[in-house]
Structures are given as structure tokens and as C-alpha cells.
């Protein structure tokens, strides 16, 4: 039997391959190589951040004005033993800010100090203005950033302990926009004085934000602001570093303390123990926009990548001027504090007797 020669029609072959490829894309979708990366306008995200910080602050204030009770409860304790409080103000502000972002920018990564136990219907969340007039008037240019490079850190209610004590001057709501781990936009809103401060590094800031000039390192008597929950500990460190005449001011809320630095009411803000990144991210962005600095006490920048630990356990220093002069003076005092802390920890541990070692465990 003679061999049979099969000749393929090139046109028919091309059509067949095209059909197969079309079916593949229909079932499995376009491969990532061909997908257009979703990008977000930083100008829009700044507008949304400002509006949502205010919206959260409105919830915080309304809980107090309603006089139905804050429903305060202890959600945990810090390493130093201070209570970490949770109120309806925290939860309601969280819902307003977190789900406001979810509605404005679906799929955007948002990290909050609080969380929900039940799902929220986005239809109940009001739309957010992406073109606030105050932002449009000041910020004249824009950046379009890939969504997967952006993360939002929010603190729905900073200074919750003070909130429960009616020390409302310390209370803030904060939003921070991070690009590749670096804080670029910060918003701090004070609901009880209706003050909102915002800044975008390199692009502009709110009109009420002015850099003080009277807080340089050569100031004779320095003022250092610290957490009121462990003022005594940091007071010893500050006075050893800068002299016995140093005035150490205890205050609540990291957001409030950063604003005090920017306004020139104090020379520096320092924290010697662990602090969460949602407490400091917005302040970090704002002080950077004013050409100040916020670092760990080791002088390292703080990485706010959402994939890293949400805790900063290397201490904190925020200044407008002469940052490394402050760090240099603080270093030996902080090292002494660390050694004393380790020594006290060891001394507190119960010593096992030989009888205890022999006793079987239950």
C-alpha cells in the first residue's frame, strides 16, 4: 500500500490554534505577564486619608457626647504592665476608617490596631471624597503608584487610656500611607479640638503645619516629651543624657507628642520601650515632610512594610533638628537603662532550690 501524504491547510491550522488559545484564556484568564498592574493616585489616597481620619474622629467624639458609656475594657497589657484599653470609640472609628478605605480602594492592604469579629456590609459605608478641595489647592502634582507597593497603617484612636480618663487633648485618629515600607503620607486628626494636620513627603502639607525654629540642640534647657505611662523611667534616661535641668514632660498618645515636637513646644520625643508601628507611622511621615527625623534609638530608620513585625522594640527618637546629636547623647544613657532592665528581670525570676529541681513535675 502506497504511503498517504497528509497536507495540513495552514489557514485551518492557524484558526485551530487561535481557537485553542482563546479557550485557554477564557477558562484561566490572562497570565500575569499580560495583566495591567493596578495603580492608585497618591493625591486621591491623600484626600481619602484626610476625610477618613476626620470621619473616625467624629465617631470617637460622638461616643463621648452620647453619654451611653465608652464600654471600656482591658484588651491586654504592655511589656511594662500598663493596661491597653479598648472602647467603643476605638471600634467605631476603626469601622469608619478601615471600611472607608475598602470602599474607596477595594483590595488595598490596610493594617489597623483593631479588628472586627463580624463582617460589615459596604453598602452601609458612605462614599469618600477623592478630591478634597484643601488637598487639590495645595498639592499641584501627583504620583501613580502600583497598589501592591502601598500599605495603609491606621490607629483608629490613639491615647485610649487618656480617652477613658477624659484627657481628650491627647486623643487623635491617625492614617499613614506607606510605599515600599517608607511612610510617605501622614494624617493626624484631633477630634476634640477639630485640628487636622497632614503631609505628603516632597509634595506639600496642610496650611496649619509650620516648622518651629526654636528647638535646636544648642537650646540651654531642653524639653523632652515622653509617655506619661512610664515617665519616671525615661526621665532618668533623659536627665542622664542631657543634664539634670532637662524638663521631662509626660503626655499621652504618640500622635500628640510628634505634634508637640513640630510646633516647637519640646525639643524631642523619645520612647525607650516597645511601641506599635500604627502609633508612630503617621507622625513619622509628617515629621519627615518637615525635614525632621524619626529613628530607632540605634539611629536606624523604621521599616513599615506590612510583611514585617508590627512592633518596634528598638526605642524611638523624633526631632526637627540635630537628630544625631541627640542620639549620640542618648546612647550611653539608653545602654545603661537596658543593662539595669536586664539585671532587674534576672533578679525577679524565682530561684529554684535543689529540692525544687528534684520534685517531679505534675
Amino acid at each position: 500500500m502506497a504511503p498517504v501524504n497528509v497536507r495540513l491547510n495552514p489557514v485551518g491550522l492557524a484558526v485551530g490554534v487561535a481557537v485553542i488559545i482563546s479557550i485557554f484564556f477564557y477558562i484561566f484568564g490572562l497570565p500575569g505577564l499580560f495583566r495591567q498592574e493596578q495603580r492608585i493616585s497618591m493625591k486621591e489616597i491623600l484626600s481619602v486619608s484626610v476625610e477618613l481620619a476626620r470621619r473616625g474622629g467624629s465617631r470617637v467624639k460622638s461616643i463621648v457626647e452620647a453619654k451611653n458609656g465608652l464600654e471600656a475594657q482591658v484588651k491586654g497589657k504592655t511589656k511594662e504592665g500598663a493596661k491597653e484599653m479598648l472602647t467603643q470609640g476605638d471600634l467605631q472609628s476603626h469601622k469608619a476608617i478601615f471600611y472607608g478605605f475598602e470602599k474607596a480602594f477595594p483590595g488595598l492592604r490596610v493594617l489597623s490596631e483593631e479588628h472586627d469579629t463580624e463582617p460589615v456590609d459596604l453598602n452601609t459605608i458612605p462614599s469618600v471624597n477623592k478630591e478634597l478641595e484643601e488637598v487639590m489647592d495645595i498639592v499641584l502634582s501627583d504620583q501613580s503608584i502600583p497598589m501592591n507597593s502601598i500599605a495603609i497603617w491606621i490607629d483608629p484612636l490613639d491615647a485610649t487610656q487618656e480617652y477613658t480618663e477624659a484627657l481628650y487633648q491627647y486623643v487623635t485618629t491617625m492614617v499613614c500611607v506607606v510605599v515600599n515600607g517608607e511612610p510617605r503620607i501622614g494624617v493626624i486628626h484631633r477630634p476634640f479640638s477639630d485640628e487636622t494636620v497632614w503631609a505628603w513627603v516632597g509634595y506639600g502639607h496642610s496650611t496649619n503645619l509650620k516648622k518651629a525654629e526654636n528647638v535646636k540642640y544648642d537650646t540651654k534647657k531642653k524639653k523632652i516629651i515622653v509617655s506619661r505611662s512610664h515617665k519616671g523611667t525615661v526621665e532618668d534616661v533623659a536627665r542622664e543624657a542631657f543634664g539634670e535641668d532637662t524638663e521631662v514632660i509626660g503626655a499621652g498618645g504618640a500622635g500628640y507628642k510628634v505634634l508637640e515636637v513640630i510646633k516647637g513646644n519640646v525639643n524631642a520625643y523619645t520612647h525607650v520601650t516597645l511601641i506599635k508601628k500604627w502609633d508612630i507611622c503617621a507622625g513619622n511621615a509628617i515629621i519627615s515632610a518637615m525635614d525632621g527625623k524619626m529613628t530607632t534609638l540605634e539611629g536606624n530608620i523604621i521599616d513599615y512594610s506590612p510583611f514585617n513585625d508590627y512592633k518596634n522594640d528598638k526605642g524611638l527618637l523624633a526631632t526637627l533638628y540635630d537628630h544625631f546629636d541627640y542620639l549620640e547623647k542618648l546612647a550611653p544613657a539608653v545602654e545603661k537603662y537596658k543593662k539595669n532592665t536586664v539585671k532587674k528581670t534576672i533578679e525577679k525570676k524565682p530561684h529554684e532550690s535543689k529540692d525544687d529541681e528534684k520534685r517531679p513535675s505534675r
Side-chain angles (χ1 to χ4, degrees):
M1 186 176 183
V4 178
N5 292 324
V6 179
R7 297 183 63 185
L8 297 175
N9 185 321
V11 176
L13 180 62
V15 170
V17 171
V19 169
I20 292 171
I21 292 173
S22 298
I23 293 171
F24 177 86
F25 284 164
Y26 177 78
I27 296 173
F28 298 104
L30 283 170
L33 182 64
F34 299 105
R35 288 194 194 122
Q36 187 174 5
E37 196 170 27
Q38 186 174 355
R39 305 178 77 88
I40 296 180
S41 158
M42 289 288 280
K43 203 169 180 179
E44 288 185 357
I45 210 169
L46 170 56
S47 290
V48 169
S49 298
V50 172
E51 180 162 327
L52 290 179
R54 287 174 177 155
R55 191 179 288 182
S58 177
R59 297 284 184 90
V60 166
K61 191 175 179 181
S62 66
I63 294 291
V64 172
E65 292 173 343
K67 297 181 180 179
N68 293 328
L70 304 182
E71 298 182 30
Q73 55 183 294
V74 179
K75 66 178 181 180
K77 289 190 176 182
T78 66
K79 191 176 180 180
E80 297 73 45
K83 293 178 180 178
E84 289 190 323
M85 305 299 293
L86 177 69
T87 68
Q88 275 300 310
D90 296 87
L91 297 175
Q92 293 300 319
S93 177
H94 162 80
K95 287 181 179 179
I97 302 174
F98 186 91
Y99 291 103
F101 273 111
E102 179 71 19
K103 186 157 188 172
F105 302 106
L108 184 62
R109 187 179 290 108
V110 181
L111 300 95
S112 174
E113 181 173 10
E114 312 305 341
H115 62 276
D116 294 292
T117 56
E118 297 178 358
V120 172
D121 182 1
L122 288 182
N123 292 320
T124 64
I125 303 298
S127 297
V128 190
N129 187 354
K130 294 184 179 181
E131 296 182 349
L132 279 182
E133 186 176 345
E134 67 186 271
V135 171
M136 299 297 124
D137 288 346
I138 293 171
V139 180
L140 303 179
S141 55
D142 199 1
Q143 269 190 316
S144 178
I145 304 292
M147 180 182 279
N148 61 13
S149 298
I150 301 174
I152 310 293
W153 290 83
I154 64 175
D155 191 343
L157 200 170
D158 190 34
T160 302
Q161 178 64 49
E162 287 71 22
Y163 183 60
T164 65
E165 298 172 12
L167 298 173
Y168 301 130
Q169 69 270 28
Y170 299 127
V171 174
T172 64
T173 58
M174 298 191 287
V175 176
C176 181
V177 181
V178 170
V179 178
N180 295 322
E182 183 180 354
R184 304 299 297 167
I185 289 173
V187 182
I188 300 177
H189 175 63
R190 299 179 67 193
F192 293 96
S193 59
D194 200 25
E195 176 189 15
T196 307
V197 169
W198 58 262
W200 177 9
V201 180
Y203 284 80
H205 55 77
S206 55
T207 55
N208 59 347
L209 193 57
K210 292 178 174 60
K211 182 177 181 178
E213 297 181 0
N214 60 332
V215 286
K216 295 188 177 181
Y217 183 77
D218 57 6
T219 307
K220 288 184 179 179
K221 182 179 178 182
K222 295 179 176 57
K223 294 181 180 180
I224 309 296
I225 197 164
V226 302
S227 173
R228 65 188 284 267
S229 62
H230 57 279
K231 179 186 172 185
T233 304
V234 192
E235 192 165 5
D236 295 340
V237 172
R239 288 197 169 138
E240 181 153 343
F242 306 118
E244 286 299 319
D245 62 343
T246 301
E247 183 179 352
V248 180
I249 301 166
Y256 173 87
K257 290 192 275 285
V258 168
L259 291 181
E260 286 295 281
V261 173
I262 294 170
K263 291 174 181 178
N265 295 330
V266 298
N267 297 78
Y269 160 36
T270 190
H271 194 89
V272 298
T273 55
L274 184 149
I275 192 167
K276 313 280 178 60
K277 290 180 181 177
W278 40 64
D279 291 319
I280 57 177
C281 186
N284 196 338
I286 293 172
I287 208 163
S288 295
M290 304 307 289
D291 297 321
K293 283 185 173 57
M294 180 184 287
T295 67
T296 67
L297 290 175
E298 297 171 353
N300 297 320
I301 61 171
I302 300 165
D303 186 352
Y304 294 90
S305 168
F307 307 108
N308 292 340
D309 195 348
Y310 66 90
K311 294 174 284 188
N312 167 45
D313 61 357
K314 303 298 181 183
L316 179 78
L317 176 68
T319 62
L320 276 181
Y321 301 97
D322 309 312
H323 190 80
F324 294 101
D325 290 326
Y326 284 94
L327 281 175
E328 186 179 1
K329 284 289 187 180
L330 274 169
V334 170
E335 190 60 32
K336 182 178 178 181
Y337 160 77
K338 287 180 180 177
K339 287 180 180 178
N340 288 340
T341 302
V342 170
K343 183 179 178 182
K344 288 177 182 177
T345 302
I346 293 171
E347 289 173 350
K348 280 183 179 179
K349 287 182 179 179
H351 297 286
E352 291 184 340
S353 66
K354 291 184 179 180
D355 291 337
D356 292 331
E357 291 174 359
K358 292 176 184 177
R359 189 179 297 121
S361 58
R362 295 180 181 177

